[in-house]
Every structure is written in C-alpha cells, then in structure tokens.
Amino acid sequence: MTTLPTRPLGPLTVSAIGLGCMNLNHAYGVPPEERDAIAVLHRAVDLGVTLFDTAALYGLGDNERLVATALRSRTEPVTLTSKCVLDFVDGKRSLNGTPAAITRTVEGSLQRLGTDHIALVYLHRLDRNVPIEESVGALVRLREAGKIGAIGLSEMSAATIRRAHAVHPIAAVQSEYSPVVRNPEIAVLDACRELGIAFVAFSPVARGLLAGAVRSADYAQHDIRAQMPRFTEPNLAHNLRAVDAYDALAAAHGMTPAQLSIAWTLARGEHIIPIPGTRSIHHLEEDVAAATMTLPDEIFDQIDAIFAPGAIRGARYAAAMQAQIDTETLPHEELA
C-alpha cells in the first residue's frame, strides 16, 4: 500500500485526495460491471486513498452497497462518508430535510454499508422548507447515539454554513470546485478556512471536461451531463475552445489535464480535499499521482486567463436542479 500526503477532515485525518464513488453506478450512463467497479475501489486502497465518498441517493442505495462489498475484504483503515436529505422514496427522488427523513435515510445507509457507525454524514442539499438548524439537530442526535462521527454540508452557502456551525461544529463542506467552477471562491472557501472546516471538492475535473472525456454532446443514455447547459450545444462548442487551451497548458507542463486540475485544486488551500471519480484504474493512478505534483507559480494566472469570465457559458445545472443548490452564484453565471 502506498502512503499519500494527508489532510484533516474535521476530527479525522485522510488522504489528501479521496475517491468520489458516485459514477461507479450512478449518473453517467451505463455503469461498469460490479467486478470492474470493485477493482477500481481496491486499486484506490492500494494507492493510499483512505477517503471514500458515497450517498444514499447514488444508485438507489446500490452505491453504498458496492462500496461496502469492495472494502469489506480490505484490512487497511479507510474513512467512509455518506449523505442524507436527498434519497429515493418509493422509487422517486426525494429532497427532505426533516429530522424524521434524515434519521430514516441514515439508518438505511448504516444497513447498506454494513456498519453501526459512519465516519461523516453530509446534508446532501438544503431543504428550504426546513430550518437548517433542525436538519443539523437531527444529525447531532445521531452523533450522540454513536451512529455517525462528524457532520458535513453539501452545496451550501457561507450564510447557511455559519448557521449550521452555530448549532454544532461542521467538519466538512462539500461543493463542486475546479478551474472551471469557481463558485466556492465567492465566500465558502473563506468561511471554511475561518471556521476550521475542511472543504471537499467534488468534480475537480469538471465532470470530465478537464479530463479529455468530453468532446461532443453525444452522451450515453442517463448521463446527467445531457441535462446540464454548459455540456450541451450551443454552449459546449464555445466551452471546448477554452478547454483546448487548458489541455495545451497541461501538456506543456508534462501533466494530463486531470492532473493539472487536481493539483490546482489541492494548491488552492491546505483545507481542500479533492475527490475525483473515475471508472478507470489508469485514470485513477494518474489522478492520485497529482497529490505529489508541484505547480509553478505562473500557471495559476495562466489558468485564470484561460477561464476568465465568459470563457465558459451555461449554468452548472438545469433550472430545476439549480433550485436545490444553495451555493452562491457568480455575477456572469447563467441560470438557464
């Protein structure tokens, strides 16, 4: 087993790069065979990854089962995190931040993960119909019962983070962050730094846009990018011009585009932990190698110039999904 640099995740210490497990059977078209997905998870452990991120929502619970199946046979210490509020109820996607729903979801996650304790559980989204204090309170009670270890938030604004943190210390905030997606720079990164909260960056390669995986809008069935404005035409063709310049910059420095994006994310703050996801062992190995890469100072300004306002068109989410996002939006960000 390889040893990676580590970073704090609330009271925990984890590898500086974690693994986002969602795409192993959720949201990106036809999933891989289970044996292939398990092989990716095993290889991640071999490479020194100790942080594995899943959620009740992913694969209608099957993602949690997959992760549990894969890691059950390993003796190396790992940290499993999951999420509640977003779930499937009676076969339908549900957003419910009430204490009863949170308790029900976490109990289900415990069963699927085959454990009596989850290291950290996030509120996956903000339920605007329930005060954040009530939702956090439900997790506090689960923590007091020994069922979870720490509390996190996902895709929430600095104002919401502060309200939640006043109820109970928040260990981690998870949001999308990459050279393309800068929303956390508005206020969330600073709030996390000030309050001593880890920032967990999901999609640090911009859903494949900064990993050479998106060259056209010809997506597989059930690929969520087909519903995301910046990944569909006419926006995509415009956005790929900036991506081409970024890819050339990575090549000039002897890095893959994904490695540059992950190394950039790591360099934005000692409290930041990227969790790229992949179905490929080769790509996993490339991603993890970024943990020990050092970037020249000038590359940050070069990346900022490539992805200056206007370089990327289209919102992160379609309007219905954006309505569930509490994270701040940038002045130039299109919401449709």
Side-chain angles (χ1 to χ4, degrees):
M1 175 179 171
T2 304
T3 300
L4 291 177
T6 60
R7 291 192 170 182
L9 183 73
L12 308 165
T13 299
V14 299
S15 53
I17 293 177
L19 183 67
C21 300
M22 181 181 78
N23 70 352
L24 292 175
N25 62 0
H26 182 85
Y28 287 92
V30 179
E33 295 291 332
E34 182 173 297
R35 65 177 180 274
D36 296 327
I38 288 174
V40 170
L41 290 162
H42 283 177
R43 184 58 180 150
V45 175
D46 294 339
L47 292 169
V49 175
T50 65
L51 175 62
F52 294 84
D53 180 87
T54 182
L57 179 74
Y58 303 159
L60 286 75
D62 283 344
N63 195 262
E64 290 176 321
R65 295 188 189 96
L66 170 68
V67 171
T69 297
L71 300 182
R72 190 176 295 129
S73 62
R74 303 301 297 247
T75 58
E76 298 88 342
V78 297
T79 297
L80 295 181
T81 68
S82 193
K83 308 179 192 74
C84 59
V85 177
L86 283 181
D87 201 352
F88 275 92
V89 178
D90 298 327
K92 295 182 179 179
R93 181 185 171 107
S94 169
L95 188 157
N96 191 333
T98 63
I102 287 170
T103 301
R104 181 174 61 248
T105 296
V106 172
E107 293 286 0
S109 292
L110 288 164
Q111 292 179 9
R112 290 185 292 270
L113 289 169
T115 185
D116 59 3
H117 180 86
I118 303 172
L120 185 152
V121 172
Y122 297 90
L123 300 176
H124 206 159
R125 291 291 186 272
L126 176 65
D127 183 346
R128 300 180 192 278
N129 296 314
V130 180
I132 188 65
E133 292 82 359
E134 291 186 18
S135 297
V136 172
L139 290 182
V140 172
R141 290 187 289 276
L142 287 163
R143 184 180 183 279
E144 291 171 344
K147 296 184 177 183
I148 70 173
I151 296 171
L153 309 173
S154 178
E155 288 280 34
M156 298 195 192
S157 66
T160 301
I161 292 166
R162 293 181 187 281
R163 287 176 57 189
H165 195 72
V167 176
H168 186 279
I170 299 301
V173 169
Q174 183 173 140
S175 286
E176 184 176 0
Y177 188 46
S178 71
V180 166
V181 176
R182 302 296 190 90
N183 303 74
E185 294 178 0
I186 300 171
V188 166
L189 286 179
D190 285 343
C192 287
R193 186 182 292 106
E194 174 192 336
L195 298 172
I197 299 172
F199 181 87
V200 177
F202 76 78
S203 295
V205 298
R207 303 185 187 277
L209 193 64
L210 302 183
V214 179
R215 299 305 306 174
S216 74
D218 184 21
Y219 302 108
Q221 188 177 13
H222 306 305
D223 190 316
I224 57 173
R225 291 171 293 191
Q227 306 301 319
M228 294 178 168
R230 66 181 47 173
F231 285 92
T232 55
E233 298 300 354
N235 294 326
L236 182 61
H238 169 86
N239 297 342
L240 286 174
R241 290 197 287 272
V243 171
D244 287 342
Y246 170 85
D247 290 351
L249 179 65
H253 287 274
M255 308 171 74
T256 69
Q259 285 174 332
L260 176 54
S261 186
I262 294 167
W264 177 94
T265 305
L266 283 164
R268 303 302 284 182
E270 290 295 325
H271 63 311
I272 299 175
I273 304 168
I275 52 168
T278 183
R279 298 173 173 182
S280 160
I281 288 178
H282 176 68
H283 290 161
L284 172 68
E285 292 169 345
E286 289 184 344
D287 293 351
V288 171
T292 54
M293 291 180 171
T294 301
L295 301 180
D297 292 341
E298 66 273 12
I299 206 168
F300 297 96
D301 288 341
Q302 292 169 330
I303 289 174
D304 287 348
I306 290 171
F307 295 116
I312 298 295
R313 293 178 182 169
R316 288 202 292 143
Y317 295 100
M321 292 298 294
Q322 182 64 39
Q324 298 180 357
I325 303 300
D326 185 48
T327 306
E328 295 87 351
T329 55
L330 293 158
H332 64 275
E333 191 171 17
E334 299 172 29
L335 298 180

